[in-house]
Amino acid sequence: METQFLVSLTLILATFALYIGIAVFNTAKKTSDFYVADRGVPPVFNGMAIGADWMSAASFIGMAGTVMLLGYDGLAYIMGWTGGYLLLTFLLAPQLRKYGRYTVPEFIGDRYKNDTARLIAAAATIIISFTYSVGQLAGSGVVIGRLLEVNTAVGTLVGVVLIAFYSALGGMKGITWTQVAQYVVLIAAYVIPVVFMALQLTNNPLPWISYGEVVSEFTTLDQELGITEYLVPFTEGSKWQFIALMFTLMAGTAGLPHVITRFFTVATMKAARWSGAWALVFIGLLYLSVPAYAAFSRFILMTQVAGSQIDNLPAWTQSWVDTGQLSVADTSGDGTLQWSELVISGDIVVMATPEIANLGIFVIGLMAAGAMAAALSTAGGLMITISAALSHDIYYRSINPKATDRKRLAVGRWSIVIATVVAGLIALNPPGAITQIVAWAFALASGTFFPALVLGVWWRRANGPGVVAGLLVGLTVTLTYIFLAKFGGITLLGIIDTGAGIFGAAAGFLTNIIVSLSTKPPTQQTVEEVTDLRYPEQLIYENGEVWVREKAE
């Protein structure tokens, strides 16, 4: 155990040194560096950064555990998050990049010619990103807590210090290149163990095609243990919950401010599209591995842990019991650990897998480094988004328009430090599992930004009063449903809190459309700007001049 600790600690410290070194080398020296990396990131590297930004602790740590525990019903997460990237890449990202702003609230304020809309969008950005960051910091606590064999709260505080330092120093420029390195670390850490597990269990090194052999045995195992069958759909929730969750994650993906901002770091619309294409490739590599992870881990737990003598359990179980993420108790008193007596948090399935499968100390250490990369990469992106909302959309655009670059950078950096500390304190006692907390952030994004951005790009009649009303109603409906479902037990059609975005989005679209049609239409200049967004740059620009719509057609 001592050797394993040293190997894991060495790998994590080496990656920490790499991230900090990159941030120092790419220190933001001006506001365009801090907010959009001076719009100079090549599409393939931006795709890697998007992948790292996207593959958060929820994806890396929580996704496979969720699928393992929920079976078929857990696939809503994979389909929702992957499908959302297609929506974003084809429906919004290139158009938003062409508008040339720094942040999503700035786009909303300028597109709708409404300062109130920008401030509401900035507040919504902070709420969404803050909710999401709590899940990431809780994830870093799980990893560091296991490594140091301490409570996850101590691990969370370590993560807070690191994120605050390198995010505040490098800004978007530093975070972008840090995320490229973090993607390489996390994808290696995710794929290597599942390849070894595939070799162990199926004698095939390609888990993406071999895990079906293991899945085929679950029906018999489930019946023997008398538990809910893994492959039967809608056993953990209603059909409506599955659909609502999938929609919430898709629409939330297309509306997440910290993801959209990544498309602002490239030079052109074309580069934004290619960034999305590369991101799908890099993200798909991890998401295609999730079902294999879930199947292999469940199979090993069912065949090698459940049914063991309670006083002769594998050594790895005690380490995870100490973190509070695993519970084993012989409640039946027969001296044998039954499946029902094994209570395992979905948040530790991936982290524990190398130990469960006895893959060796190096792979265990690599997994810890990868999980930290996943949590830190997304948390860094979220903190720069919160900082941009506070320092650019609120401070610079509303409070002090004459602020110098130096003053704006200082406000931005202090915003990151304060936001990270506050989110870390909440993450000490998170209000739900990592995947659940992240789903709330997606629900809020789908209820607020998704309607505002889709209508802002694709409906010329949408106006300022409409978007203000839509943002407020969408946010209110989503938050109300989350609280009623989570804490009041009040649901509709069996849709729980994680599917709240479907109601928020519907309310946001309807409100925006009704109010826009009931109030004064936007100016001709605004209509022309929106029309211009729909055309590729090479069709719009000639000799530095913008074509009018008739000429473009």
Side-chain angles (χ1 to χ4, degrees), residues 445-462:
S446 62
T448 52
F449 288 123
F450 185 63
L453 294 175
V454 170
L455 294 175
V457 170
W458 296 106
W459 191 42
R460 290 173 291 193
R461 184 63 175 78

Side-chain angles (χ1 to χ4, degrees), residues 3 209 249 333 370 449 507:
T3 305
I209 61 175
L249 299 178
F449 288 123

Side-chain angles (χ1 to χ4, degrees), residues 22 40 45 53 87 126 138 178 223 305 346 359 429 440 490 495 535:
I22 291 172
F45 290 111
D53 207 351
L87 276 181
I126 294 168
T178 300
Q223 291 172 351
V305 179
L359 296 180
N429 185 25
W440 295 342
I490 301 172
I495 298 173
Y535 296 95

